[in-house]
Amino acid sequence: HAIAARRPPDGHEPDFHPLRVAPSGARLTNPIEARQILGPHPWSRVTDAHAAGWFRQVSRIPHQRELNDEHYVDDHALAQIPAALPLLGLARHEQMLLTRGDGQQVTARGFDDPQAMRMILLQILTGRRASEIRTSRFDCFSPVPDRAVDAAEGEQIARFHYAQSKIDIAPDNILVDAEVVAVIEEQRQWVRDHFPAITPRHLFLQRTGNRQGDKPYPSGTYSWMLREFSKIVKITDSKGKPVGLSHTHRFRHTKLTRLAELGLPVHVLMRYAGHATPSMTMHYVAARQEHAEQVFLATAKLRADGTHVTFSRDDHDSLHLFNRADRFLPHGWCLLPPLQNCDKGNACLTCSVFVTDASHQDALERQLAETEALIDRSTTAFQERHGHPMPDDNVWLLQRRAEHAALTKLLDTLRSKPGRAVQGAGCGAAPTGPVPLTLDLDHHRRTRR
């Protein structure tokens, strides 16, 4: 449509001519030959169909998928980075033996830049942008209400205020753990030692030409340092692909992907990332096939060989008990409905909803022997202490004898009826078949007068 609109209505040649200017902006060197082939007025033959055909081609332009794993750094690469990071902070006259991603061991000289070492470490731990770490304030900590430092367990939680300058409505702080706090405190001490006569404004400072301490660590220096560092250490992922450490934004993708895989809701991820929309946050989450398969295997009931687990009709009750771990007992099962409370205490053997089978026979026999020994030991001690036998109406003795009788009946029933489940409460057989019932049809009738 735009091309047709530029065509003069009188059919004259437009002010821009394809015979004079090439698509790239360069002038044609053969306008006479082109005019002989195309004619003097080629734009007069342009119709709306040409524009419609072009827009159909535009719709076929492939778009990048929203979830991708191109920027995700896997565990294989992340394990190599901390081992090589001390080389960044090592003095230039010192050397360090390190193992590259390809397995080759080399000896390299230090870069004498501990600030770059701590900056990339903070990016890996927090997932913040390079500018947010590089230009952070020196006083970037604030206490967290209702959170105290537990010196015994080493727990230390603080609120880290980073330099948010990209999105006005986004937050500029996150909660960090003791590891991040230790890295920042180490950087603070380094600044105090190297800039003792000034009050620093930023956490990471430019080392030269910064008498007032108001210039942050230069962005170009940080990129160059990591680029040269990558050439030496040669970090590779699990597929052998090199991981360039100068592209630090991939650590932000990795951190948000890890948090998403832990099950954090989207609005929590958006708050942590400092994004204004959930769609931007989900753009950072990698669709890892490995994690998708792990989640599927965790939800599906599969055997080790990948085949599905099938349940018979006899397993129906057990399936309902899977969500209640307290329904599985050491010597049987409790069939009490989940919404009801148990008032029996530990008297499961004499409870009508207690069920056991031959798979627990060894535990029941061991419990019977222990109960007999406990009764004998306790009654003998009572006789020696008081000079007379323990009374038969003793509360403790009554409970122990009830358990002993229930265990004896349970084991007798299991032996006489192998392969069947047994109910508690003395193994009394439940009535089967119709129950005789007499209805008084005249009892509730209203007598008419």
Side-chain angles (χ1 to χ4, degrees):
H1 293 283
I3 297 175
R6 296 292 298 272
R7 186 178 67 241
D10 54 358
H12 293 289
E13 184 179 354
D15 51 357
F16 68 98
H17 201 287
L19 304 181
R20 298 198 186 107
V21 182
S24 61
R27 299 184 64 86
L28 295 174
T29 58
N30 55 347
I32 299 176
E33 292 82 354
R35 188 177 291 108
Q36 291 176 354
I37 297 175
L38 299 177
H41 306 292
W43 290 108
S44 61
R45 297 191 299 270
V46 176
T47 62
D48 295 344
H50 294 80
W54 164 250
F55 283 117
R56 282 197 296 269
Q57 297 294 331
V58 172
S59 63
R60 296 192 185 102
I61 296 178
H63 298 280
Q64 184 180 5
R65 56 179 178 172
E66 185 176 2
L67 301 179
N68 62 85
D69 53 358
E70 297 177 359
H71 306 294
Y72 179 81
V73 182
D74 58 14
D75 296 337
H76 182 77
L78 286 178
Q80 304 171 45
I81 297 175
L85 278 183
L87 183 64
L88 271 175
L90 201 65
R92 294 187 182 275
H93 63 276
E94 298 180 3
Q95 294 182 349
M96 174 180 171
L97 179 65
L98 55 89
T99 304
R100 291 177 171 176
D102 55 1
Q104 181 181 0
Q105 289 187 344
V106 296
T107 301
R109 293 183 178 275
F111 284 78
D112 194 20
D113 197 343
Q115 293 191 107
M117 176 187 66
R118 298 187 190 101
M119 277 192 289
I120 187 175
L121 185 58
L122 287 177
Q123 284 194 255
I124 296 174
L125 294 176
T126 63
R128 309 318 312 169
R129 303 179 181 93
S131 59
E132 295 173 347
I133 298 295
R134 186 177 52 83
T135 59
S136 295
R137 298 284 184 175
F138 186 81
D139 298 326
C140 56
F141 279 149
S142 65
V144 181
D146 301 331
R147 296 286 301 188
V149 178
D150 190 352
E153 299 181 359
E155 180 184 3
Q156 189 173 3
I157 303 296
R159 190 177 301 279
F160 171 52
H161 296 265
Y162 51 89
Q164 169 64 268
S165 59
K166 188 174 182 179
I167 305 176
D168 294 336
I169 62 175
D172 61 349
N173 61 87
I174 56 172
L175 296 180
V176 293
D177 56 7
E179 190 174 7
V180 177
V181 172
V183 175
I184 295 179
E185 288 296 342
E186 183 178 348
Q187 173 61 22
R188 279 178 164 182
Q189 187 60 41
W190 184 92
V191 172
R192 295 188 188 100
D193 295 339
H194 289 75
F195 296 86
I198 64 173
T199 301
R201 180 180 179 182
H202 298 283
L203 181 61
F204 298 93
L205 299 178
Q206 179 176 311
R207 299 186 68 171
T208 59
N210 194 11
R211 294 183 178 181
Q212 303 298 327
D214 56 350
K215 297 180 181 179
Y217 191 102
S219 174
T221 304
Y222 185 46
S223 299
W224 180 86
M225 194 67 66
L226 294 182
R227 186 163 52 250
E228 297 299 319
F229 178 67
S230 297
K231 294 179 182 179
I232 296 178
V233 297
K234 294 184 178 181
I235 303 297
T236 58
D237 58 12
S238 57
K239 299 179 181 179
K241 184 179 179 180
V243 178
L245 299 181
S246 58
H247 303 286
T248 58
H249 209 64
R250 63 178 55 195
F251 298 119
R252 182 168 172 82
H253 287 259
T254 305
K255 180 65 175 182
L256 294 180
T257 300
R258 295 292 184 88
L259 294 178
E261 292 177 353
L262 289 176
L264 269 69
V266 177
H267 69 280
V268 178
L269 285 174
M270 185 177 66
R271 166 63 177 81
Y272 183 87
H275 290 150
T277 59
S279 59
M280 177 56 68
T281 301
M282 295 307 298
H283 173 73
Y284 280 78
V285 179
R288 297 198 305 128
Q289 180 181 358
E290 178 184 3
H291 178 257
E293 293 177 352
Q294 291 174 353
V295 174
F296 172 75
L297 294 177
T299 56
K301 297 179 176 63
L302 300 177
R303 294 190 180 94
D305 57 356
T307 59
H308 285 272
V309 178
T310 58
F311 293 93
S312 63
R313 185 175 180 180
D314 298 335
D315 299 323
H316 184 266
D317 291 336
S318 297
L319 290 174
H320 287 282
L321 296 177
F322 280 163
N323 294 330
R324 294 295 300 268
D326 55 339
R327 301 305 188 201
F328 289 89
L329 305 175
H331 49 2
W333 299 273
C334 176
L335 300 184
L336 187 70
L339 297 180
Q340 296 186 15
N341 295 325
C342 176
D343 57 353
K344 289 287 187 178
N346 295 326
C348 297
L349 296 171
T350 58
C351 181
S352 60
V353 295
F354 172 77
V355 175
T356 187
D357 58 6
S359 62
H360 296 86
Q361 184 170 350
D362 294 338
L364 294 172
E365 291 177 350
R366 183 173 59 256
Q367 186 177 359
L368 177 62
E370 293 175 355
T371 303
E372 292 176 350
L374 178 61
I375 293 176
D376 295 337
R377 186 171 58 254
S378 299
T379 53
T380 301
F382 188 93
Q383 175 77 26
E384 295 176 353
R385 182 179 302 109
H386 300 282
H388 59 85
M390 181 180 295
D392 294 336
D393 59 349
N394 183 277
V395 176
W396 180 88
L397 185 58
L398 288 176
Q399 294 179 351
R400 300 294 83 74
R401 285 178 175 175
E403 294 174 3
H404 185 275
L407 284 168
T408 303
K409 293 181 180 180
L410 281 172
L411 292 171
D412 292 341
T413 306
L414 288 176
R415 298 185 185 99
S416 61
K417 299 179 180 179
R420 295 187 58 182
V422 180
Q423 188 180 7
C427 307
T432 58
V435 178
L437 181 64
T438 302
L439 299 178
D440 187 1
L441 301 179
D442 297 329
H443 180 71
H444 295 288
R445 286 182 177 179
R446 180 180 298 177
T447 304
R448 294 183 178 180
R449 292 181 181 179

